[in-house]
Amino acid sequence: MRIKLERWLNQVWYGQQQAPLWLRSLVPLYRVGFLTDRALKQRTASELAGKPILVVGNLTVGGSGKTPLVIRLCRVLQGAGMTVGVASRGYGRSSHGLQRVRANSDPALVGDEPLLIAQRAAVAVIVANDRCAAAKALFDEGVDVVIADDGLQHHRLPRSMEICVLDGSREFGNGLQLPAGPLREPMQRLQQVDHVVVNGALEPSSTLPHAVTMQLVPGLLHSLDQNLSWRLSQFSGCRANAVAGIANPERFFRSLEQAGLILKRHSWPDHHAYGQEDFAALNPDYPIIMTEKDAVKCRGLALRNAWYLAVDAHLPGDFELAVVKGMMKAVKSGRQGG
């Protein structure tokens, strides 16, 4: 049921299917709820006032490339001598309250994306429904900067800098707000953020000429047990089961096909919780190739001949420098204020 609903909504939001009248009639209700929530939480958390917080988020529902961007920003800020922590909600986790994420944490308890960030960026990661509580815990541990993952609409959270991420192939979909479209907020919100980062190339008709382009560059294929690594080009001409439980699997499938692989595609909803039954119908003679986010949830399934593709975010140097300078200024200001 969930898979069918997600596919139908994607057709309405990003495809050629028009949003039905009953769905569009719900938009004002969503808008009232959103504005009420923002008004109730307009007052930021006083204990975090003046703290150096970098918010990374998006205007649309679903993935846009936030996780690889957060990983890259962690490394950039670490390279500039800052200690970084990441605060996240941990979408889809089964646990409650505040949880510290470690490299060997159970993804069901902490969420797939926070676990991937902890593994790839080697920074302190804390998940909590209240991002303010997560940020406070990180500052109490002594970090210099907190990156708030998916925190753009977390209104109580103060911020030194906002970065909005967009999927270049999808942008704003049909341009409607939830639930008739993918927008969490009106597009005018982009005028208030510090930076707009576009994952992939923009459409020629785009109205975002000043956005920064981020490219996700494929790296090595790693076996799920992490004992072997191969270049993607070494799989050229091979048939493979391609598995993706992400918001926009087309980008992943396309990168494999561009490398010469012949795919049997298998897609599930974003943040899908995998079980053995999901792989029962796959051709056992073909390798299984999945995204790195899927891999953190599949390592305990004892899959045979299973691999994941690592990707890295590449950003313009002047953009990274601007982020470093902005957060260094915020750190200095926070220390003087404290």
Side-chain angles (χ1 to χ4, degrees), residues 221-230 295 299 305-308:
L221 278 171
H222 302 276
S223 60
L224 220 58
D225 59 14
Q226 298 182 313
N227 288 330
L228 294 172
S229 297
W230 296 89
R299 289 203 172 96
N305 198 11
W307 306 77
Y308 68 87

Side-chain angles (χ1 to χ4, degrees), residues 145-199:
V145 173
V146 166
I147 298 178
D149 178 32
D150 198 18
L152 207 60
Q153 289 79 32
H154 201 73
H155 302 117
R156 287 187 60 247
L157 188 70
R159 64 252 355 234
S160 307
M161 182 182 294
E162 289 184 323
I163 298 175
C164 182
V165 194
L166 297 175
D167 186 328
S169 63
R170 290 182 164 190
E171 289 198 36
F172 307 107
N174 60 13
L176 299 176
Q177 283 189 260
L178 288 166
L183 286 173
R184 298 174 176 179
E185 300 183 73
M187 287 183 280
Q188 290 83 350
R189 177 71 168 85
L190 288 180
Q191 299 171 9
Q192 301 170 0
V193 304
D194 298 282
H195 301 283
V196 177
V197 173
V198 177
N199 180 11

